[in-house]
Amino acid sequence: MDMKKFILLIAVLALITSCGSNDRGELVGVKGKKWHPEKPFGMELVPGGAFIMGKADDDLAGIHDAPAKTVTVRAFYMDATEITNSEYRQFVNWVRDSTIRTKLAILADEIGETPGSGGIGEFAFNDADPENMTVYEKYMYDNYSGLGPTGYEGRKLNKDVDLIFDTADYPDEYFAEVMDTMYLPLEESYNGQRTWDVSKFKFQYTYMDIEKAAKDRSLKRKDVIIKEEVEIYPDTTTWIRDFAYSYNEPMHNDYFWHDAYGEYPVVGVSWKQAKAFCQWRTLNKNAYQKDRKAAFVNSFRLPSEAEWEYAARGGLQASTYPWGGPYTKNDRGCFMANFKPLRGDYAADQALYTVEAKSYEPNDYNLYNMAGNVSEWVSASYDPSSYEYVSTINPSVNDVDNQRKVVRGGSWKDVAYYLQVSSRDYEYADSARSYIGFRTVQDYMGTDVTKNAKNK
């Protein structure tokens, strides 16, 4: 064989090899990226396992809504602390800024202003300049622009330009016009200060009602897509309304807004607002993941009632409180949580109202204030007999027709009974209280070693 034929043969073999696969015809599966679980910032991994859910002690209050029952839950991440004012303000500011940017972009589009004008045109939609559009963006613009209630759904906002909040720096009268609509009218202002019209700032999201879809296979996908729109600012007036003949104006004025309370748990948030926060947190994280070309994360959500109780117990079986035994004081005589001790001596536990979210000692899962400080929303609807019929694996009850939603853990204004890990209480989904907050969870991807697995 001469050299030319040899080179040609090598080239043909190389071509055949490159066109074919290396699986030798075997079932080897689809080749994907190796998955490395990443613990979300500020969360702790709660290993899955079984526990006795419900009252381990006598039901002294005689409510009989938490009979003992062995259930099993899968592994999940949970916030180490309650969601703080600072964290919730990140959500509020995102919605506020997105709302303002959208209104600025719409007005710029209506009057034909584009970037480079030095005025409101700097905040025009990114697709206002066709030269900066990708092929996909141009296709979507050509085929879907003008659809939806406003005709601007799906348009890409320009977030590279900072918003201007100082009235002395407004670039033109069109910018001032938009900003003026975001505040309450002048006649509703006092002390020379204008306040945001919080009713203008709403978070819109959609989700699929999987349970509804699973029960009725005749439904089409569009029938199970649920759209929600939620006002997102906390109701600070709860500090006044929750307590008659009590001076709580400083908490109303400063608790959510002032940096002094940044690390305190957010309150005045309804169950619906807590759900919206979870949706935003997922959206915010996955937007970052998309920019990095990384895999999307699981949704953040409110914990089920079983998950909350399992996490609160910290791996201790049949304990009364997250720290164990039946007492609210440690061996040095110090209270273990922020609640209403000693027949109403609020100051005895070193706190009058709430305390910073990372206060007192954490439980054995490194979770803070699973008892006291603020009660916490969970995803469950309250039914006093639900323990009798729920599943024993990942039990969950969330009836869309039952607006009584479970709160757990007790708060700064509650007696010790409500701090017990098995105690149940409820509030209506659209209600906000000065003593109810929340924390979020995220499912663990894969199978983690369970808490009560035996080492071999």
Side-chain angles (χ1 to χ4, degrees):
M1 180 182 297
D2 58 30
M3 183 59 67
K4 288 184 178 179
K5 290 183 178 179
F6 178 76
I7 294 174
L8 180 61
L9 178 62
I10 295 297
V12 171
L13 290 174
L15 181 63
I16 294 173
T17 303
S18 64
C19 292
S21 62
N22 296 321
D23 60 16
R24 299 182 181 181
E26 299 294 344
L27 184 65
V28 297
V30 176
K31 186 177 181 180
K33 297 179 181 178
K34 196 169 184 64
W35 171 251
H36 298 285
E38 176 185 352
K39 188 175 84 164
F41 180 77
M43 302 186 100
E44 299 292 338
L45 178 61
V46 178
F51 76 108
I52 299 174
M53 183 177 178
K55 288 289 182 188
D57 304 319
D58 292 336
D59 186 7
L60 299 179
I63 299 176
H64 305 301
D65 64 347
K69 177 177 184 175
T70 300
V71 300
T72 305
V73 297
R74 52 173 286 152
F76 57 94
Y77 295 106
M78 176 177 261
D79 288 322
T81 69
E82 300 121 342
I83 295 299
T84 64
N85 283 317
S86 177
E87 291 168 334
Y88 196 82
R89 279 203 299 264
Q90 184 181 351
F91 169 45
V92 166
N93 290 347
W94 186 94
V95 174
R96 180 201 65 190
D97 292 356
S98 297
T99 303
I100 293 174
R101 287 184 187 279
T102 300
K103 290 185 176 293
L104 289 170
I106 289 175
L107 182 55
D109 188 78
E110 289 176 347
I111 63 177
E113 290 285 334
T114 56
S117 64
I120 195 174
E122 303 302 323
F123 300 89
F125 290 109
N126 267 357
D127 56 25
D129 185 359
E131 293 183 3
N132 294 329
M133 296 170 65
T134 65
V135 172
Y136 175 73
E137 288 172 344
K138 189 173 187 312
Y139 172 83
M140 295 298 288
Y141 177 79
D142 292 340
N143 290 274
Y144 293 99
S145 64
L147 300 180
T150 67
Y152 291 94
E153 274 71 13
R155 301 286 296 272
K156 193 173 182 181
L157 296 174
N158 179 13
K159 297 185 179 180
D160 295 331
V161 183
D162 292 336
L163 288 173
I164 302 168
F165 294 102
D166 189 340
T167 56
D169 296 330
Y170 284 177
D172 60 23
E173 60 181 334
Y174 298 112
F175 188 96
E177 177 185 338
V178 170
M179 294 300 290
D180 183 59
T181 64
M182 295 290 98
Y183 292 96
L184 290 171
L186 280 174
E187 59 267 22
E188 297 182 25
S189 303
Y190 62 96
N191 290 338
Q193 294 181 339
R194 296 195 67 184
T195 306
W196 293 117
D197 183 353
V198 296
S199 66
K200 298 284 182 70
F201 302 110
K202 300 177 182 179
F203 182 66
Q204 299 176 341
Y205 66 95
T206 59
Y207 67 95
M208 180 185 292
D209 189 339
I210 300 176
E211 186 174 346
K212 183 178 179 181
K215 289 180 178 179
D216 188 350
R217 296 189 178 184
S218 66
L219 295 173
K220 295 182 178 180
R221 189 182 184 90
K222 64 181 179 62
D223 298 325
V224 293
I225 300 297
I226 311 299
K227 296 182 179 181
E228 297 282 358
E229 183 178 73
V230 181
E231 292 184 14
I232 45 84
Y233 272 82
D235 183 358
T236 57
T237 64
T238 57
W239 288 105
I240 307 300
R241 288 187 290 104
D242 287 345
F243 307 98
Y245 307 108
S246 177
Y247 177 66
N248 294 309
E249 277 77 354
M251 301 300 282
H252 164 271
N253 296 336
D254 300 324
Y255 185 75
F256 179 68
W257 307 101
H258 201 285
D259 290 337
Y261 296 99
E263 299 308 312
Y264 286 62
V266 67
V267 297
V269 173
S270 69
W271 183 84
K272 293 181 179 180
Q273 289 175 313
K275 296 274 284 186
F277 176 91
C278 294
Q279 293 285 339
W280 167 80
R281 187 175 181 181
T282 305
L283 172 70
N284 190 56
K285 177 62 177 178
N286 281 334
Y288 173 76
Q289 294 293 96
K290 184 178 181 180
D291 288 341
R292 293 175 56 208
K293 294 182 171 54
F296 280 9
V297 302
N298 264 347
S299 297
F300 294 94
R301 57 182 176 82
L302 293 179
S304 69
E305 196 170 5
E307 286 173 332
W308 190 95
E309 184 171 328
Y310 177 70
R313 290 181 179 277
L316 301 176
Q317 294 284 6
S319 60
T320 304
Y321 299 104
W323 50 84
Y327 305 109
T328 56
K329 290 183 179 180
N330 61 16
D331 55 3
R332 300 187 302 276
C334 299
F335 286 104
M336 300 290 287
N338 177 21
F339 66 112
K340 179 182 178 180
L342 305 179
R343 297 182 182 272
D345 184 356
Y346 289 97
D349 56 11
Q350 305 178 47
L352 249 62
Y353 299 99
T354 58
V355 292
E356 291 185 343
K358 189 174 281 190
S359 300
Y360 299 95
E361 291 296 319
N363 71 1
D364 288 347
Y365 287 152
N366 206 35
L367 305 174
Y368 291 82
N369 287 308
M370 293 301 286
N373 209 22
V374 293
S375 298
E376 299 175 15
W377 291 113
V378 298
S379 64
S381 298
Y382 179 77
D383 181 344
S385 62
S386 61
Y387 282 24
E388 303 291 346
Y389 59 79
V390 294
S391 172
T392 57
I393 182 169
N394 299 319
S396 177
V397 177
N398 187 12
D399 181 1
V400 294
D401 296 323
N402 182 355
Q403 292 300 299
R404 297 191 304 177
K405 304 302 180 182
V406 175
V407 291
R408 288 297 208 112
S411 74
W412 60 270
K413 64 90 185 171
D414 288 320
V415 296
Y417 170 80
Y418 290 101
L419 271 63
Q420 296 180 15
V421 289
S422 57
S423 292
R424 308 174 71 198
D425 200 1
Y426 69 87
E427 186 53 79
Y428 287 90
D430 58 356
S431 298
R433 298 294 184 198
S434 60
Y435 45 84
I436 298 179
F438 68 101
R439 71 180 79 205
T440 68
V441 299
Q442 184 190 64
D443 292 319
Y444 178 83
M445 300 279 275
T447 304
D448 184 47
V449 176
T450 57
K451 178 70 178 177
N452 41 350
K454 296 180 178 178
N455 295 322
K456 296 183 180 179

